[in-house]
Amino acid sequence: MTNVKNSTNMSESQQSICEWAEGIFGPVADPRALVARAMLEMKELDEAVADRDISEIGREAADVLILLYRLADQFGLDLDGEVQGKMAINRARKWSAKGDGTGSHV
């Protein structure tokens, strides 16, 4: 059986999550498998949002993020750093709001 740390006493990071996942699931053979699984988790997240199930929304959103951390790791990327860089770009752009809480840059 794989040794699993008690996460209630630690703060998770991309590195700790990826180390845990590799220990449990093994190495990633094809990063597209992570994308496919994230798409499945997004469908489950959509269902939780439709049901307005707050607890399930949190869990499914976390599942998606865990898979994205692992995907980024496959390419040597720090996802939190990528978000910081992307937000700097986003903040410098002009945006058009669609009126539904989303929009696109112009």
Side-chain angles (χ1 to χ4, degrees), residues 34-68:
L34 297 171
V35 174
R37 182 61 193 204
M39 297 293 283
L40 174 64
E41 297 297 341
M42 283 296 295
K43 184 176 183 309
E44 292 175 1
L45 176 57
D46 182 54
E47 292 167 0
V49 169
D51 293 342
R52 298 210 174 279
D53 184 338
I54 302 300
S55 296
E56 194 64 17
I57 291 168
R59 285 189 293 269
E60 295 303 337
D63 281 342
V64 172
L65 184 57
I66 289 164
L67 286 156
L68 292 177

Side-chain angles (χ1 to χ4, degrees), residues 1-45:
M1 185 166 128
T2 304
N3 183 14
V4 178
K5 292 181 183 177
N6 181 351
S7 65
T8 59
N9 296 328
M10 67 182 285
S11 179
E12 296 289 0
S13 66
Q14 179 174 330
Q15 181 180 350
S16 70
I17 290 167
C18 291
E19 288 172 357
W20 169 84
E22 185 154 335
I24 298 295
F25 305 116
V28 175
D30 181 353
R32 293 178 303 164
L34 297 171
V35 174
R37 182 61 193 204
M39 297 293 283
L40 174 64
E41 297 297 341
M42 283 296 295
K43 184 176 183 309
E44 292 175 1
L45 176 57

